Amino acid sequence: MSSATSSERLTAAIERREADRVPVIPQITYATAQLTGVGLVEALHSPEKTAEALLAGQRTIGYDAIYAGWESSFNLLAEAMGCTMRYPQGDVPYVIERIVKDPGDVEKLAIPDPARSGRLPIHMRTVQLVKREVGEAVPVFVYVPGPFTLAGQLYDVDRLLRMTVKDPGFIQALVEVATAASVRYAEANVDAGVDVVVVADPTAGPSLISPKMFERFAAPGIRKVFDAAGAKGAVLSLHICGQSTPLLERMCETGAQILELDHMVDLAKAKAQIGDRVCLQGNIDPADVLLTGTPDAVAEAARRCIDQAGAGGGFILSSGCEVPPRAPIANVGAMVEAARQYQRRAA
Ligand SMILES: [Zn+2]
Protein backbone atom coordinates (compact mmCIF):
# COMPACT_ATOMS: atom_id res chain seq x y z
CA MET A 1 0.00 0.00 0.00
CA SER A 2 1.36 3.44 -0.86
CA SER A 3 1.81 6.02 1.84
CA ALA A 4 -1.40 7.63 3.11
CA THR A 5 -1.83 11.18 4.42
CA SER A 6 -2.41 11.72 8.12
CA SER A 7 -6.05 12.62 7.40
CA GLU A 8 -6.53 9.38 5.47
CA ARG A 9 -5.06 7.39 8.37
CA LEU A 10 -7.42 9.08 10.80
CA THR A 11 -10.45 8.45 8.56
CA ALA A 12 -9.50 4.79 8.26
CA ALA A 13 -9.13 4.50 12.03
CA ILE A 14 -12.55 6.03 12.65
CA GLU A 15 -14.08 3.66 10.10
CA ARG A 16 -12.20 0.81 11.82
CA ARG A 17 -10.16 -0.02 8.74
CA GLU A 18 -6.40 -0.47 8.44
CA ALA A 19 -4.40 2.17 6.55
CA ASP A 20 -0.73 1.98 5.57
CA ARG A 21 0.14 2.10 9.27
CA VAL A 22 -1.34 2.87 12.67
CA PRO A 23 -1.94 6.62 13.07
CA VAL A 24 0.09 8.10 15.92
CA ILE A 25 -1.31 11.17 17.63
CA PRO A 26 0.29 12.04 20.98
CA GLN A 27 -1.74 14.49 23.08
CA ILE A 28 1.03 17.04 22.95
CA THR A 29 0.68 20.81 23.32
CA TYR A 30 2.94 22.60 25.85
CA ALA A 31 5.80 20.15 25.40
CA THR A 32 6.35 21.51 21.86
CA ALA A 33 7.63 24.72 23.52
CA GLN A 34 10.92 22.85 23.91
CA LEU A 35 11.37 23.05 20.13
CA THR A 36 10.97 26.82 19.76
CA GLY A 37 12.05 27.98 23.21
CA VAL A 38 8.85 29.94 23.82
CA GLY A 39 7.94 30.35 27.50
CA LEU A 40 4.81 28.49 28.60
CA VAL A 41 3.20 31.68 29.93
CA GLU A 42 4.46 33.85 27.06
CA ALA A 43 2.71 31.52 24.60
CA LEU A 44 -0.60 31.87 26.46
CA HIS A 45 -0.83 35.42 25.18
CA SER A 46 0.54 34.92 21.68
CA PRO A 47 -1.35 32.92 19.06
CA GLU A 48 1.60 33.24 16.69
CA LYS A 49 4.10 31.76 19.16
CA THR A 50 1.72 29.00 20.23
CA ALA A 51 0.99 28.07 16.61
CA GLU A 52 4.69 28.15 15.79
CA ALA A 53 5.48 25.66 18.57
CA LEU A 54 2.55 23.37 17.73
CA LEU A 55 3.51 23.32 14.04
CA ALA A 56 7.18 22.73 14.87
CA GLY A 57 6.13 19.71 16.94
CA GLN A 58 4.17 18.11 14.12
CA ARG A 59 6.79 18.86 11.47
CA THR A 60 9.81 17.83 13.51
CA ILE A 61 8.40 14.73 15.16
CA GLY A 62 6.01 13.71 12.38
CA TYR A 63 2.88 12.67 14.22
CA ASP A 64 -0.51 12.53 12.48
CA ALA A 65 -2.49 15.45 13.95
CA ILE A 66 -2.13 18.60 16.00
CA TYR A 67 -3.92 19.30 19.28
CA ALA A 68 -4.45 23.03 18.79
CA GLY A 69 -4.41 24.63 22.18
CA TRP A 70 -2.03 25.42 24.94
CA GLU A 71 -3.77 24.85 28.22
CA SER A 72 -6.66 22.97 29.69
CA SER A 73 -9.73 24.10 27.81
CA PHE A 74 -11.71 24.10 31.05
CA ASN A 75 -9.33 26.68 32.52
CA LEU A 76 -9.58 28.84 29.41
CA LEU A 77 -13.37 28.77 29.49
CA ALA A 78 -13.55 29.18 33.29
CA GLU A 79 -11.41 32.31 32.99
CA ALA A 80 -13.61 33.67 30.19
CA MET A 81 -16.61 33.14 32.50
CA GLY A 82 -15.06 35.14 35.33
CA CYS A 83 -12.72 32.88 37.34
CA THR A 84 -9.34 34.33 38.32
CA MET A 85 -6.23 32.47 37.15
CA ARG A 86 -2.66 32.29 38.38
CA TYR A 87 0.09 32.03 35.75
CA PRO A 88 3.19 30.54 37.37
CA GLN A 89 6.31 31.10 35.23
CA GLY A 90 7.39 27.97 33.39
CA ASP A 91 4.33 26.03 34.45
CA VAL A 92 0.68 25.59 33.55
CA PRO A 93 -1.93 28.06 34.89
CA TYR A 94 -4.70 27.20 37.33
CA VAL A 95 -7.82 28.78 38.81
CA ILE A 96 -7.32 30.58 42.13
CA GLU A 97 -10.73 32.18 42.55
CA ARG A 98 -14.03 30.63 41.50
CA ILE A 99 -16.85 32.66 39.98
CA VAL A 100 -19.64 30.52 41.49
CA LYS A 101 -19.60 30.64 45.29
CA ASP A 102 -23.20 29.67 46.03
CA PRO A 103 -26.28 28.52 44.09
CA GLY A 104 -27.50 32.10 43.57
CA ASP A 105 -24.45 32.87 41.43
CA VAL A 106 -25.52 30.50 38.65
CA GLU A 107 -28.05 32.90 37.17
CA LYS A 108 -25.40 35.63 36.94
CA LEU A 109 -23.18 33.54 34.66
CA ALA A 110 -22.93 34.62 31.04
CA ILE A 111 -22.05 32.35 28.12
CA PRO A 112 -18.65 33.54 26.87
CA ASP A 113 -18.30 34.84 23.33
CA PRO A 114 -15.38 33.05 21.63
CA ALA A 115 -14.66 36.20 19.61
CA ARG A 116 -14.46 38.51 22.63
CA SER A 117 -14.32 36.90 26.09
CA GLY A 118 -11.09 36.46 28.07
CA ARG A 119 -8.34 34.83 26.06
CA LEU A 120 -10.75 32.84 23.86
CA PRO A 121 -9.91 35.04 20.82
CA ILE A 122 -6.22 34.11 21.29
CA HIS A 123 -7.16 30.43 21.23
CA MET A 124 -9.38 30.85 18.16
CA ARG A 125 -6.62 32.69 16.33
CA THR A 126 -4.20 29.86 17.21
CA VAL A 127 -6.56 27.31 15.67
CA GLN A 128 -6.89 29.40 12.50
CA LEU A 129 -3.12 29.83 12.15
CA VAL A 130 -2.47 26.11 12.63
CA LYS A 131 -5.19 25.01 10.21
CA ARG A 132 -4.09 27.52 7.59
CA GLU A 133 -0.58 26.02 7.66
CA VAL A 134 -1.40 22.31 7.69
CA GLY A 135 -4.41 22.38 5.36
CA GLU A 136 -6.43 19.23 4.78
CA ALA A 137 -3.56 16.75 5.05
CA VAL A 138 -3.12 16.99 8.83
CA PRO A 139 -6.17 16.90 11.12
CA VAL A 140 -6.53 19.45 13.89
CA PHE A 141 -7.90 18.31 17.26
CA VAL A 142 -9.13 20.52 20.08
CA TYR A 143 -10.12 19.86 23.67
CA VAL A 144 -13.54 21.16 24.65
CA PRO A 145 -14.40 20.96 28.36
CA GLY A 146 -16.93 18.39 29.41
CA PRO A 147 -19.73 20.45 30.98
CA PHE A 148 -19.45 18.59 34.31
CA THR A 149 -15.71 19.31 34.47
CA LEU A 150 -16.26 22.96 33.53
CA ALA A 151 -18.85 23.18 36.33
CA GLY A 152 -16.14 21.95 38.71
CA GLN A 153 -13.81 24.73 37.53
CA LEU A 154 -16.49 27.37 38.00
CA TYR A 155 -17.52 26.18 41.48
CA ASP A 156 -14.76 23.88 42.87
CA VAL A 157 -14.54 20.16 42.27
CA ASP A 158 -14.83 18.96 45.89
CA ARG A 159 -17.87 21.11 46.56
CA LEU A 160 -19.39 20.10 43.21
CA LEU A 161 -19.14 16.42 44.15
CA ARG A 162 -20.69 17.02 47.58
CA MET A 163 -23.53 19.11 46.18
CA THR A 164 -24.53 16.44 43.65
CA VAL A 165 -25.96 14.73 46.76
CA LYS A 166 -27.04 17.74 48.86
CA ASP A 167 -28.47 19.98 46.15
CA PRO A 168 -28.64 18.15 42.81
CA GLY A 169 -30.96 20.77 41.33
CA PHE A 170 -28.27 23.43 41.79
CA ILE A 171 -25.63 21.24 40.17
CA GLN A 172 -27.91 20.44 37.26
CA ALA A 173 -28.55 24.17 36.73
CA LEU A 174 -24.81 24.88 36.87
CA VAL A 175 -24.02 22.06 34.45
CA GLU A 176 -26.67 23.40 32.05
CA VAL A 177 -24.92 26.77 31.87
CA ALA A 178 -21.57 25.03 31.47
CA THR A 179 -23.10 22.94 28.66
CA ALA A 180 -24.20 26.06 26.79
CA ALA A 181 -20.67 27.48 27.15
CA SER A 182 -19.03 24.26 25.94
CA VAL A 183 -21.43 23.98 22.99
CA ARG A 184 -20.71 27.52 21.82
CA TYR A 185 -16.96 27.02 22.27
CA ALA A 186 -17.06 23.73 20.33
CA GLU A 187 -18.99 25.31 17.46
CA ALA A 188 -16.57 28.23 17.26
CA ASN A 189 -13.62 25.84 17.15
CA VAL A 190 -15.12 23.91 14.25
CA ASP A 191 -15.80 27.20 12.44
CA ALA A 192 -12.13 28.14 13.02
CA GLY A 193 -10.93 24.95 11.33
CA VAL A 194 -10.92 22.17 13.93
CA ASP A 195 -11.54 18.67 12.52
CA VAL A 196 -11.87 16.65 15.74
CA VAL A 197 -13.68 17.90 18.85
CA VAL A 198 -12.40 16.08 21.93
CA VAL A 199 -14.65 16.50 24.95
CA ALA A 200 -12.28 16.32 27.93
CA ASP A 201 -14.14 15.35 31.06
CA PRO A 202 -11.66 14.33 33.78
CA THR A 203 -14.03 15.19 36.64
CA ALA A 204 -16.65 12.79 35.20
CA GLY A 205 -14.35 9.77 35.45
CA PRO A 206 -14.98 6.69 37.63
CA SER A 207 -12.33 7.76 40.15
CA LEU A 208 -14.56 10.73 41.08
CA ILE A 209 -18.16 9.80 40.27
CA SER A 210 -20.04 6.54 39.70
CA PRO A 211 -21.19 5.47 36.23
CA LYS A 212 -24.75 6.16 37.39
CA MET A 213 -23.83 9.73 38.32
CA PHE A 214 -21.98 10.06 35.02
CA GLU A 215 -25.22 9.20 33.26
CA ARG A 216 -27.19 11.71 35.31
CA PHE A 217 -24.84 14.72 35.52
CA ALA A 218 -22.25 14.41 32.76
CA ALA A 219 -23.54 12.42 29.78
CA PRO A 220 -26.42 14.76 28.77
CA GLY A 221 -24.02 17.71 28.41
CA ILE A 222 -21.45 15.63 26.50
CA ARG A 223 -24.19 14.54 24.07
CA LYS A 224 -25.22 18.16 23.49
CA VAL A 225 -21.65 19.18 22.67
CA PHE A 226 -21.36 16.20 20.31
CA ASP A 227 -24.70 16.98 18.65
CA ALA A 228 -23.62 20.57 17.98
CA ALA A 229 -20.08 19.75 16.80
CA GLY A 230 -21.28 16.75 14.78
CA ALA A 231 -23.87 18.90 13.00
CA LYS A 232 -20.98 21.07 11.80
CA GLY A 233 -19.13 18.03 10.48
CA ALA A 234 -16.57 17.47 13.25
CA VAL A 235 -15.31 14.06 14.28
CA LEU A 236 -16.26 13.40 17.92
CA SER A 237 -13.90 12.11 20.59
CA LEU A 238 -14.25 11.62 24.35
CA HIS A 239 -11.36 11.89 26.80
CA ILE A 240 -11.86 10.63 30.34
CA CYS A 241 -8.82 10.33 32.57
CA GLY A 242 -8.00 7.44 34.84
CA GLN A 243 -9.38 3.92 35.00
CA SER A 244 -12.39 4.32 32.70
CA THR A 245 -13.01 0.60 32.12
CA PRO A 246 -16.30 0.58 34.13
CA LEU A 247 -17.51 3.45 31.96
CA LEU A 248 -16.66 2.16 28.48
CA GLU A 249 -20.22 1.25 27.49
CA ARG A 250 -21.57 4.59 28.64
CA MET A 251 -18.75 6.43 26.89
CA CYS A 252 -19.78 4.68 23.64
CA GLU A 253 -23.39 5.68 24.17
CA THR A 254 -22.50 9.39 24.13
CA GLY A 255 -22.03 9.13 20.35
CA ALA A 256 -18.24 9.45 20.47
CA GLN A 257 -16.39 8.08 17.44
CA ILE A 258 -13.07 7.96 19.30
CA LEU A 259 -12.40 7.18 22.97
CA GLU A 260 -9.16 8.50 24.48
CA LEU A 261 -8.15 5.93 27.12
CA ASP A 262 -5.70 6.51 29.95
CA HIS A 263 -2.72 4.27 30.63
CA MET A 264 -4.36 2.13 33.32
CA VAL A 265 -7.06 0.88 30.94
CA ASP A 266 -6.42 -2.63 29.55
CA LEU A 267 -6.47 -1.91 25.81
CA ALA A 268 -6.92 -5.53 24.79
CA LYS A 269 -10.01 -5.87 26.97
CA ALA A 270 -11.38 -2.52 25.75
CA LYS A 271 -10.80 -3.60 22.15
CA ALA A 272 -12.68 -6.87 22.76
CA GLN A 273 -15.53 -5.11 24.52
CA ILE A 274 -16.18 -2.06 22.32
CA GLY A 275 -13.66 -2.17 19.47
CA ASP A 276 -16.39 -3.08 16.99
CA ARG A 277 -18.24 0.18 17.73
CA VAL A 278 -15.67 2.88 18.34
CA CYS A 279 -12.06 3.82 17.55
CA LEU A 280 -9.73 3.54 20.57
CA GLN A 281 -6.89 5.98 21.23
CA GLY A 282 -4.12 5.48 23.77
CA ASN A 283 -2.49 4.76 26.02
CA ILE A 284 1.24 5.10 26.85
CA ASP A 285 1.80 6.19 30.45
CA PRO A 286 2.47 9.96 30.26
CA ALA A 287 4.44 10.17 33.52
CA ASP A 288 6.26 6.88 34.12
CA VAL A 289 7.06 6.21 30.46
CA LEU A 290 6.93 9.43 28.40
CA LEU A 291 8.28 11.79 31.05
CA THR A 292 10.80 9.67 32.92
CA GLY A 293 11.34 6.61 30.69
CA THR A 294 13.90 6.05 27.94
CA PRO A 295 13.13 6.08 24.20
CA ASP A 296 13.50 2.28 24.26
CA ALA A 297 10.91 2.01 27.02
CA VAL A 298 8.56 4.25 25.02
CA ALA A 299 9.03 2.12 21.90
CA GLU A 300 8.31 -1.04 23.88
CA ALA A 301 5.16 0.48 25.39
CA ALA A 302 4.06 1.64 21.93
CA ARG A 303 4.49 -1.83 20.45
CA ARG A 304 2.51 -3.30 23.32
CA CYS A 305 -0.38 -0.87 22.66
CA ILE A 306 -0.37 -1.75 18.95
CA ASP A 307 -0.33 -5.48 19.78
CA GLN A 308 -3.29 -5.03 22.10
CA ALA A 309 -5.50 -2.86 19.91
CA GLY A 310 -4.03 -2.36 16.45
CA ALA A 311 -5.26 -5.44 14.59
CA GLY A 312 -7.98 -4.67 12.06
CA GLY A 313 -7.68 -0.90 12.50
CA GLY A 314 -9.84 1.28 14.72
CA PHE A 315 -6.86 2.30 16.81
CA ILE A 316 -4.77 5.48 17.22
CA LEU A 317 -1.47 5.18 19.09
CA SER A 318 -1.24 7.97 21.67
CA SER A 319 -0.32 8.99 25.17
CA GLY A 320 -2.82 8.04 27.86
CA CYS A 321 -3.38 11.69 28.71
CA GLU A 322 -1.61 14.98 27.95
CA VAL A 323 2.13 14.75 27.31
CA PRO A 324 3.81 16.49 30.30
CA PRO A 325 5.47 19.84 29.43
CA ARG A 326 8.96 18.51 30.18
CA ALA A 327 8.65 15.09 28.54
CA PRO A 328 11.74 14.60 26.34
CA ILE A 329 11.03 15.23 22.65
CA ALA A 330 13.11 12.10 21.91
CA ASN A 331 10.50 10.05 23.77
CA VAL A 332 7.65 11.46 21.68
CA GLY A 333 9.80 10.74 18.62
CA ALA A 334 10.25 7.13 19.76
CA MET A 335 6.47 6.73 19.89
CA VAL A 336 6.10 8.01 16.33
CA GLU A 337 8.95 5.84 15.09
CA ALA A 338 7.40 2.76 16.70
CA ALA A 339 4.16 3.37 14.78
CA ARG A 340 6.11 3.75 11.54
CA GLN A 341 8.26 0.67 11.98
CA TYR A 342 6.16 -1.80 13.85
CA GLN A 343 2.56 -1.78 12.73
CA ARG A 344 2.95 -3.32 9.30
CA ARG A 345 3.00 -6.74 10.91
CA ALA A 346 -0.77 -6.31 11.39
CA ALA A 347 -1.37 -6.07 7.64
ZN1 LIG B 1 -6.60 12.66 30.70
Side-chain angles (χ1 to χ4, degrees):
M1 194 186 292
S2 63
S3 170
T5 66
S6 291
S7 288
E8 288 165 349
R9 283 182 199 115
L10 176 66
T11 300
I14 293 160
E15 293 173 355
R16 298 181 298 283
R17 293 184 282 110
E18 287 185 340
D20 60 336
R21 62 166 172 79
V22 165
V24 53
I25 308 178
Q27 298 163 44
I28 181 170
T29 59
Y30 320 98
T32 61
Q34 297 174 56
L35 293 164
T36 63
V38 64
L40 294 183
V41 174
E42 183 191 6
L44 290 173
H45 301 281
S46 168
E48 291 78 16
K49 286 180 176 170
T50 302
E52 187 190 359
L54 295 172
L55 289 162
Q58 195 275 327
R59 284 170 182 163
T60 308
I61 309 171
Y63 40 80
D64 285 306
I66 292 179
Y67 279 79
W70 199 253
E71 65 195 292
S72 300
S73 57
F74 32 85
N75 280 348
L76 192 64
L77 223 49
E79 183 189 46
M81 293 175 84
C83 291
T84 306
M85 306 290 296
R86 174 162 291 158
Y87 299 96
Q89 277 304 326
D91 212 334
V92 294
Y94 55 92
V95 173
I96 51 167
E97 196 179 343
R98 315 279 167 186
I99 188 69
V100 176
K101 294 185 168 65
D102 56 60
D105 292 335
V106 173
E107 61 196 48
K108 296 181 213 155
L109 289 171
I111 307 306
D113 179 352
R116 299 161 62 96
S117 307
R119 285 174 304 111
L120 297 186
I122 293 174
H123 168 82
M124 293 302 161
R125 183 73 188 136
T126 304
V127 169
Q128 289 168 344
L129 289 171
V130 166
K131 192 62 194 173
R132 197 175 71 191
E133 283 298 313
V134 298
E136 291 308 309
V138 178
V140 174
F141 285 47
V142 78
Y143 288 120
V144 168
F148 189 72
T149 294
L150 177 57
Q153 293 300 97
L154 297 170
Y155 179 56
D156 179 78
V157 173
D158 289 339
R159 290 195 297 165
L160 179 85
L161 298 178
R162 274 201 305 277
M163 291 302 257
T164 54
V165 181
K166 281 165 114 180
D167 191 352
F170 157 46
I171 297 306
Q172 250 147 358
L174 176 61
V175 171
E176 262 177 46
V177 178
T179 300
S182 292
V183 163
R184 189 164 182 194
Y185 180 68
E187 289 175 331
N189 272 281
V190 181
D191 290 342
V194 158
D195 302 290
V196 181
V197 164
V198 185
V199 169
D201 220 348
T203 307
S207 51
L208 292 174
I209 61 172
S210 68
K212 215 170 156 180
M213 290 199 16
F214 173 86
E215 200 50 52
R216 181 173 177 193
F217 290 101
I222 295 169
R223 288 195 189 98
K224 282 186 182 152
V225 176
F226 281 164
D227 285 348
K232 284 184 171 284
V235 171
L236 311 172
S237 175
L238 181 58
H239 176 116
I240 291 189
C241 305
Q243 178 45 280
S244 59
T245 303
L247 206 57
L248 291 177
E249 291 292 340
R250 284 184 165 87
M251 288 169 76
C252 280
E253 288 163 7
T254 61
Q257 294 163 280
I258 304 170
L259 299 185
E260 295 186 2
L261 304 178
D262 213 339
H263 71 274
M264 53 284 273
V265 174
D266 184 321
L267 272 187
K269 283 188 186 158
K271 178 88 169 179
Q273 189 185 339
I274 53 167
D276 59 335
R277 281 171 278 166
V278 71
C279 174
L280 305 179
Q281 180 176 347
N283 70 346
I284 298 176
D285 189 327
D288 284 346
V289 179
L290 279 171
L291 178 63
T292 59
T294 61
D296 281 348
V298 173
E300 192 190 319
R303 289 192 292 266
R304 194 163 53 240
C305 289
I306 295 170
D307 279 340
Q308 289 176 330
F315 177 63
I316 300 166
L317 179 64
S318 184
S319 43
C321 195
E322 284 188 286
V323 175
R326 291 176 192 80
I329 293 297
N331 281 356
V332 185
M335 183 200 296
V336 172
E337 203 47 37
R340 284 192 180 140
Q341 300 299 330
Y342 184 65
Q343 70 74 223
R344 286 174 188 275
R345 54 102 213 126

